[in-house]
């Protein structure tokens, strides 16, 4: 199946097919006629899929690779010099190509390197985690982390092509299937009550397996539509941040070593919906429906911290401008909205344990 993100000169196709990785070179040839390719991956993903990709591409291109340690700690500003050095040593030019082969960490890091090296090198995303397939590989948000917070250095840089092979998820550690389900549930919450009801009715990832390509397509299509309306995150695209204000602060509090991104977002979705129900901004009972779905797919809903412990990170959140904070809330399942407020939205619950 093929989707197209229509952004004028920055438009690009997204292909979602089982076994797509084994045919990826033919898709890459359609959009790239240069000479050199740098594949950026990690030490978990490359041994599984990197050789297959490199063998295909080496027939037509001078193919190099950079294999980084797996995990969120790699998506750090301090990793960038090593990436730039590898690109220089490989003699990558502005007419060449960078391929991000991996999950969200590699996609974000390689994407930011592509956006900034020589002021921009063509980029292809080949996401290998559920989270990256349904969310982070599409839309052009690329970034690295600073010690003070997640994704604080970044850019909007659209890929030239996204290749999604759902079968690569068969080798994914179970925790990272759960991690990706956090973002799948988010899409049901913000834009698609039907998707949410389907998740409610199945109750486990194993039951969803046969429908996975269609689920990935639905999530990507929602994101495609949102990005086309608001490429630079000034309006409707903010809805994709549901659960993220709290989620990012939880990740940062534990130095990205306890909850994964999807797990932290799951906590954020449930906890912020509880708060918005208390304030009469969300229909009563929605947080309980979210809680039930999170439990069905093995996702957490609490982190055991008082709100006051997280307030410092919330105040540093890049969405907190001049003490004005846009938080994403739900009127109901499938009906999200932007709620302009301040950090006091959270501060009044300082003693509450999340």
């Amino acid at each position: 199946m093929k989707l197209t993100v229509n952004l004028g000169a920055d438009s690009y196709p997204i292909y979602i097919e089982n076994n797509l990785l084994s045919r990826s070179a033919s898709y890459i040839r359609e959009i790239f006629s240069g000479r050199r390719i740098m594949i950026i991956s990690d030490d978990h993903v490359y041994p599984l899929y990197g050789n297959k990709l490199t063998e295909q591409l080496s027939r037509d291109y001078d193919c190099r690779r950079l294999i980084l340690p797996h995990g969120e700690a790699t998506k750090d500003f301090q990793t960038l010099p090593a990436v730039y050095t590898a690109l220089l040593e490989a003699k990558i030019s502005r007419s060449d190509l960078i391929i991000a082969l991996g999950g969200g960490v590699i996609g974000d890091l390689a994407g930011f390197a592509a956006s900034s090296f020589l002021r921009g090198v063509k980029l292809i995303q080949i996401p290998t985690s559920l989270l990256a397939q349904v969310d982070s590989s599409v839309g052009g948000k690329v970034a690295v982390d600073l010690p003070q917070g997640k994704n604080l250095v970044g850019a909007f840089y659209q890929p030239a092509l996204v290749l999604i092979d759902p079968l690569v998820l068969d080798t994914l550690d179970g925790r990272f299937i759960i991690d990706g389900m956090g973002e799948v549930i988010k899409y049901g919450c913000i834009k698609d009550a039907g998707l949410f009801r389907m998740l409610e009715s199945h109750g486990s990832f194993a039951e969803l397996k046969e429908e996975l390509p269609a689920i990935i397509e639905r999530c990507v299509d929602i994101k495609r539509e949102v990005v086309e309306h608001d490429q630079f995150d000034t309006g409707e695209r903010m809805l994709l941040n549901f659960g993220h204000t709290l989620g990012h602060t939880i990740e940062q509090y534990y130095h990205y070593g306890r909850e994964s991104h999807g797990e932290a977002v799951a906590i954020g979705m449930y906890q912020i919906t509880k708060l918005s129900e208390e304030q009469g901004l969300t229909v009563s009972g929605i947080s309980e429906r979210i809680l039930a779905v999170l439990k069905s797919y093995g996702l957490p809903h609490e982190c055991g911290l008082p709100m006051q412990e997280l307030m410092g990170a919330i105040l540093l959140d890049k969405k907190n401008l001049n003490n004005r904070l846009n938080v994403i809330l739900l009127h109901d399942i499938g009906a999200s909205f932007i709620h302009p407020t301040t950090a006091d939205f959270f501060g009044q619950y300082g003693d509450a344990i999340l």
Side-chain angles (χ1 to χ4, degrees):
M1 57 193 78
K2 178 184 179 182
L3 299 169
T4 301
V5 182
N6 292 302
L7 295 171
D10 293 325
S11 298
Y12 54 95
I14 302 164
Y15 294 94
I16 307 168
E17 295 174 22
N18 286 337
N19 290 310
L20 184 61
L21 192 63
S22 65
R23 305 186 302 276
S24 54
S26 61
Y27 293 94
I28 292 169
R29 285 188 207 103
E30 290 178 9
I31 63 98
F32 177 61
S33 58
R35 180 182 167 199
R36 293 189 183 91
I37 296 176
M38 173 66 83
I39 298 171
I40 300 179
S41 189
D42 69 36
D43 54 10
H44 273 185
V45 172
Y46 194 88
L48 293 169
Y49 303 112
N51 289 327
K52 181 188 294 187
L53 179 62
T54 301
E55 285 171 11
Q56 293 178 63
L57 294 173
S58 293
R59 298 166 196 159
D60 298 305
Y61 305 105
D62 177 5
C63 213
R64 310 296 178 90
R65 68 187 187 190
L66 173 63
I67 303 172
L68 297 166
H70 65 277
E72 184 74 32
T74 291
K75 203 183 97 174
D76 186 274
F77 187 81
Q78 300 304 322
T79 305
L80 287 171
V83 177
Y84 295 140
T85 297
L87 294 170
L88 286 167
E89 290 176 350
K91 296 182 170 57
I92 297 297
S93 73
R94 292 190 69 184
S95 62
D96 293 323
L97 173 68
I98 293 172
I99 297 177
L101 175 68
V105 166
I106 290 297
D108 278 8
L109 174 68
F112 184 73
S115 76
S116 51
F117 186 71
L118 305 178
R119 296 194 178 95
V121 176
K122 184 174 284 190
L123 171 71
I124 290 176
Q125 293 276 7
I126 305 181
T128 60
S129 72
L130 180 57
L131 186 147
Q133 290 188 350
V134 300
D135 188 71
S136 61
S137 65
V138 175
K141 274 189 176 182
V142 294
V144 293
D145 302 334
L146 295 178
Q148 295 91 337
K150 190 176 172 77
N151 297 333
L152 289 178
V153 177
F156 292 96
Y157 193 68
Q158 302 296 337
L161 172 68
V162 181
L163 299 175
I164 298 174
D165 184 346
L167 290 185
V168 303
L169 303 180
D170 289 344
T171 58
L172 199 63
D173 182 275
R175 182 181 179 190
F176 293 102
I177 292 291
I178 292 169
D179 176 57
M181 286 305 298
E183 291 284 356
V184 173
I185 292 165
K186 177 196 80 175
Y187 279 105
C189 286
I190 64 170
K191 282 282 186 178
D192 193 332
L195 173 60
F196 192 89
R197 286 192 296 270
M198 187 187 73
L199 298 174
E200 286 180 309
S201 66
H202 282 71
S204 75
F205 183 78
E207 292 181 33
L208 285 177
K209 196 74 184 297
E210 288 187 9
E211 299 181 61
L212 196 53
I215 290 168
I216 293 170
E217 181 188 17
R218 181 60 189 132
C219 293
V220 170
D221 201 35
I222 292 170
K223 186 160 191 181
R224 174 201 61 77
E225 184 178 359
V226 169
V227 169
E228 286 178 355
H229 293 163
D230 178 23
Q231 182 179 354
F232 297 110
D233 206 11
T234 57
E236 183 184 0
R237 188 168 181 172
M238 293 182 194
L239 299 176
L240 300 173
N241 291 323
F242 178 55
H244 284 59
T245 297
L246 283 177
H248 282 172
T249 62
I250 293 165
E251 286 182 89
Q252 185 201 347
Y253 186 88
Y254 290 107
H255 305 288
Y256 311 104
R258 199 178 82 163
E259 278 82 10
S260 67
H261 177 69
E263 290 167 340
V265 167
I267 296 169
M269 290 190 294
Y270 170 67
Q271 295 290 346
I272 202 165
T273 303
K274 268 207 321 180
L275 300 182
S276 64
E277 281 185 24
E278 289 179 21
Q279 297 184 37
L281 298 167
T282 299
V283 173
S284 179
I286 298 304
S287 63
E288 288 303 308
R289 287 182 68 189
I290 293 173
L291 175 61
V293 168
L294 296 180
K295 287 182 174 179
S296 292
Y297 293 95
L299 284 155
H301 64 281
E302 57 190 4
C303 64
L305 288 172
M307 182 70 79
Q308 61 192 8
E309 289 287 325
L310 300 175
M311 282 305 297
I314 289 171
L315 290 170
L316 276 173
D317 191 289
K318 61 185 180 299
K319 295 178 286 295
N320 185 23
L321 302 173
N322 298 320
N323 200 35
R324 301 297 301 175
L325 186 66
N326 289 316
V327 296
I328 308 308
L329 306 177
L330 305 180
H331 289 302
D332 201 341
I333 296 295
S336 54
F337 67 101
I338 300 167
H339 180 60
T341 183
T342 69
D344 291 340
F345 179 92
F346 299 103
Q348 62 184 302
Y349 299 98
D351 294 330
I353 304 297
L354 303 189

